[in-house]
Amino acid sequence: MSVERCHPIQQDSPDHNPAGKFDDEGYPAYSMGHAAEILGVTQAFLRSLDAAELLTPGRSEGGHRRYSRYQLRLAARARELIDQGTALDSACRIIILEDQLAEARRINTELQHTHRPKPDRPGPVSG
């Protein structure tokens, strides 16, 4: 059920570049306490999103949960839906469907740009 796009950078990876982590929205940079503070939620709320399988936070070497900017956006959306009266399970399902729709739209746009007819070739005949 998770919509994770988090790919922690491995120590031996050629992409292990501290400057690249600033732009990587999937990098698990935020501790649970810091994530909760940023979002204005409790740590228990973040644990509930993990239990509901909306988020699967990374883990530090000491086993502590670490959240990415992408995960913080999902958690903020969950908080918004729950504050509006949506049940946790329903909020998680809505977020997953929203994420899938956004990804499908991104792919559709990409395919439209890569598969346009060339100007010198006639396009499909409509009628």
Side-chain angles (χ1 to χ4, degrees), residues 55-72:
L55 304 179
T56 306
R59 297 284 179 161
S60 68
E61 287 184 20
H64 300 283
R65 288 176 173 90
R66 306 288 296 182
Y67 296 88
S68 68
R69 288 184 304 176
Y70 174 73
Q71 291 171 325
L72 294 184

Side-chain angles (χ1 to χ4, degrees), residues 31-48:
S31 68
M32 177 182 273
H34 193 198
E37 180 183 330
I38 290 169
L39 296 169
V41 300
T42 65
Q43 293 182 19
F45 176 75
L46 292 174
R47 283 191 292 273
S48 72

Side-chain angles (χ1 to χ4, degrees), residues 98-110:
E98 288 174 343
D99 195 66
Q100 289 173 342
L101 178 59
E103 180 67 6
R105 285 179 172 162
R106 185 196 63 77
I107 292 168
N108 187 23
T109 299
E110 182 180 302

Side-chain angles (χ1 to χ4, degrees), residues 6-27:
C6 182
H7 304 287
I9 298 173
Q10 300 298 317
Q11 288 291 86
D12 58 349
S13 167
D15 295 330
H16 183 66
N17 173 358
K21 293 177 187 177
F22 292 120
D23 296 327
D24 183 358
E25 73 172 29
Y27 182 73

